[in-house]
Amino acid sequence: MALDKDEVSSRVLDIAEDLLNEGGAINLKARTIAEKAGIAVGSIYNLYGDLDGLHLAVNFRLLDRLSRAGMETMTQMQSSRVLDTKGRLLALARTYLEYVAAHPHSWAALLAFSPARIDAARREDYIGRLDGLFGIITKVLMDDKKLALDEEECVLNARILWSSVHGIVTSGVSSRASGNPEVETWRQVDHLVTVYLAGLERHPGRLTH
Amino acid sequence: MALDKDEVSSRVLDIAEDLLNEGGAINLKARTIAEKAGIAVGSIYNLYGDLDGLHLAVNFRLLDRLSRAGMETMTQMQSSRVLDTKGRLLALARTYLEYVAAHPHSWAALLAFSPARIDAARREDYIGRLDGLFGIITKVLMDDKKLALDEEECVLNARILWSSVHGIVTSGVSSRASGNPEVETWRQVDHLVTVYLAGLERHPGRLTH
C-alpha cells in the first residue's frame, strides 16, 4: 500500500521530533529517520530539502504548540476571572515551565537554532512566531492600565520577563539549591515576577533608554 | 627531552578548553587531544581518569577565572568609589557578559555539565565554587542596608538576578530584536537591574515563601 505524501511527511516530522527530544540536534540523523519511517534517505531530502529544513519544520510545530498552550492559558484565566497581572504572568510562566519539562531537548535545540540558518523567505515567518509568543506577555502588560506603559515599554518588559523566567528554568541554578528543585524553581519564578512587577509599578512608564 | 607531568597536564587542559570553546562537549575527543599534545591517548586517561574528569578540570578553571574576574571588578569599584547597588550589579553583569562572549561554547558546556556526573568528593567542591560566584552578588545585596534583606533573601535574590541576566545574555531573544544585538542585550540587562532593584526597595525584606 503506497503511503501518501502528507502521511509520510507527518511521520518523518514525528520521528524527527522524538529524536531531537531524546538527544538534541546531534541526534537528528537522516539514516535513523529513514530506517524508523521505512523510507529511503532520499525521500527525507525530497520532503524537507536538508536536515536544517527538517529541524526548522519541527521548530515551527514546537512554536505553534507553545503558542496554543499560552493562548489556552489566557482563555482559562478569562473564564476563571484571573485578571490581575501577577496571576496572569505566573500562569503563563507555569505554562512555559510545563512545556519545557515536556520537551527538554527539542526546546533547547530550538533555542540553539540560529535564525541565520533559515532562508530569508521563511526567516520572517519564524521570527514572527517567536514575536507572537512575546506578544502574549506584552498583551498582559498592556492590559494593566495602572502600569501605564506604552507599547514599546511593554515589548521590552515582556522580553526581559521571558528571558528571566527562561534563565531560571534552564540555568540549573535551582537544581543546586537544597530541597526539591521544582519547588525551588517555582519559588524563584514567583519571587522574580513579584519583585519585577513591584518595580514596574514604582516606575510607571520610565524607560531606561 | 621528557616533559614533566605538570607541563603535560596543563597542556592537555589548554587543548581541551580550546576544543570545548570551538565546538562544545561533543568536540572533546581523546584522540584529537592526544594528537595535538603529541602524547598517547592513554596518557590523558592516566592524568584525568576519563573525558568527564578532563571536562570537569576545565570547568574548575573556568569557574575560578570568572570568580577572579568578578573579584577584580569588585576591587576596581571599591577604588573608583562605585558604591551604589545598581552600579555594582551592572558592573558585575558587564563582567559576566564579557566572560560569556570570550568563552561562548566552553561556558555553555559547563552549564550543561550536570553535577550528578561528578563523584561525591569533588561535587561539594564544584558546587561550592558556583556558590562562591553567587556569593559575590549576595554580598552586594547584603552591603545595601537600605534594602534591609536578611541573608537568606540576599541569596535568593542573587540567584534570581544571576539567572535572569544569564537568560537575557544566552536566550538570543535580543539578537532577534532590531538594531545592534549587543546594545539591545545591555539595554535589557540595565532595565532588568533597574526595575528589579526598584521592586526590592519597595518590598524590603518581603520573602514570597
Side-chain angles (χ1 to χ4, degrees):
Chain A
M1 193 178 72
L3 290 165
D4 81 2
K5 199 183 157 185
D6 283 355
E7 211 175 325
V8 177
S9 0
S10 117
R11 199 202 280 188
V12 166
L13 213 53
D14 289 341
I15 294 167
E17 187 180 329
D18 286 347
L19 290 174
L20 284 165
N21 219 22
E22 282 157 19
I26 51 158
N27 205 32
L28 194 66
K29 296 200 172 78
R31 185 173 299 273
T32 315
I33 298 164
E35 275 168 19
K36 283 180 185 276
I39 57 173
V41 170
S43 308
I44 297 167
Y45 296 112
N46 286 338
L47 287 166
Y48 293 101
D50 55 18
L51 282 181
D52 262 11
L54 176 56
H55 193 166
L56 184 61
V58 172
N59 287 352
F60 269 120
R61 204 162 66 163
L62 286 170
L63 290 174
D64 288 345
R65 224 181 277 150
L66 177 55
S67 173
R68 224 160 31 234
M71 298 306 288
E72 271 165 28
T73 300
M74 293 288 276
T75 308
Q76 277 165 19
M77 284 188 290
Q78 199 68 37
S79 26
S80 51
R81 303 254 163 246
V82 177
L83 300 168
D84 66 299
T85 304
K86 185 181 164 186
R88 296 173 91 193
L89 290 175
L90 285 177
L92 288 174
R94 173 72 73 184
T95 305
Y96 182 64
L97 234 82
E98 287 168 358
Y99 192 80
V100 173
H103 310 80
H105 296 294
S106 54
W107 186 249
L110 180 148
L111 292 170
F113 192 94
S114 164
R117 277 153 70 187
I118 311 171
D119 56 285
R122 279 183 299 180
R123 199 184 304 148
E124 280 298 300
D125 191 9
Y126 191 72
I127 292 174
R129 297 202 198 191
L130 282 161
D131 286 344
L133 287 173
F134 302 134
I136 302 176
I137 310 170
T138 305
K139 191 183 174 310
V140 172
L141 297 177
M142 293 286 285
D143 284 350
D144 190 332
K145 303 302 173 206
K146 279 208 319 303
L147 292 179
L149 300 168
D150 66 24
E151 193 176 347
E152 190 198 347
E153 291 163 332
C154 288
V155 169
L156 174 67
N157 286 300
R159 282 175 189 268
I160 292 171
L161 278 166
W162 190 85
S163 293
S164 300
V165 169
H166 165 72
I168 291 170
V169 173
T170 59
S171 75
V173 171
S174 44
S175 71
R176 286 190 292 270
S178 55
N180 183 325
E182 279 169 41
V183 170
E184 179 60 25
T185 296
W186 189 250
R187 179 172 170 244
Q188 292 187 16
V189 168
D190 187 290
H191 197 75
L192 164 82
V193 171
T194 305
V195 173
Y196 198 86
L197 263 184
L200 281 182
E201 282 166 9
R202 193 167 160 199
H203 290 291
R206 204 175 100 182
L207 236 183
T208 53
H209 285 290
Chain B
M1 193 180 73
L3 291 165
D4 81 3
K5 200 182 156 184
D6 283 356
E7 210 176 325
V8 177
S9 349
S10 118
R11 197 200 281 187
V12 166
L13 213 53
D14 289 341
I15 295 167
E17 187 179 330
D18 286 346
L19 290 174
L20 284 165
N21 219 22
E22 282 156 19
I26 50 159
N27 206 32
L28 193 66
K29 297 199 173 78
R31 184 172 301 273
T32 315
I33 298 163
E35 277 169 18
K36 283 179 186 279
I39 57 171
V41 170
S43 308
I44 297 166
Y45 297 114
N46 286 338
L47 286 166
Y48 292 102
D50 55 18
L51 283 180
D52 263 11
L54 176 56
H55 192 165
L56 184 61
V58 173
N59 287 351
F60 269 119
R61 205 163 66 164
L62 287 169
L63 290 174
D64 288 345
R65 225 182 277 150
L66 177 56
S67 173
R68 228 163 23 240
M71 299 307 289
E72 272 165 28
T73 300
M74 293 288 278
T75 308
Q76 277 164 21
M77 285 189 290
Q78 198 69 35
S79 27
S80 52
R81 305 255 162 241
V82 177
L83 300 168
D84 66 299
T85 304
K86 186 181 163 186
R88 297 174 91 192
L89 290 175
L90 284 177
L92 288 173
R94 172 73 73 184
T95 305
Y96 182 65
L97 234 83
E98 286 168 358
Y99 192 80
V100 172
H103 309 80
H105 295 294
S106 54
W107 186 249
L110 180 148
L111 291 169
F113 192 95
S114 165
R117 278 154 69 188
I118 311 171
D119 57 283
R122 279 183 299 181
R123 197 184 305 148
E124 281 298 301
D125 191 10
Y126 191 72
I127 292 173
R129 296 204 197 191
L130 282 160
D131 286 343
L133 287 171
F134 303 134
I136 301 176
I137 309 168
T138 304
K139 190 181 174 316
V140 171
L141 297 176
M142 294 285 286
D143 285 350
D144 190 333
K145 302 303 173 204
K146 279 207 322 299
L147 293 178
L149 300 168
D150 66 25
E151 193 175 349
E152 189 198 346
E153 289 163 336
C154 288
V155 169
L156 173 67
N157 286 301
R159 281 174 189 269
I160 292 171
L161 278 165
W162 189 86
S163 292
S164 300
V165 169
H166 165 72
I168 291 170
V169 173
T170 59
S171 75
V173 170
S174 44
S175 70
R176 288 190 290 271
S178 55
N180 183 325
E182 278 168 43
V183 171
E184 179 60 24
T185 296
W186 189 249
R187 179 173 172 245
Q188 292 187 17
V189 168
D190 186 291
H191 197 76
L192 165 81
V193 170
T194 305
V195 173
Y196 198 86
L197 263 185
L200 281 183
E201 282 165 10
R202 191 169 162 196
H203 290 290
R206 205 176 99 183
L207 237 182
T208 53
H209 286 289

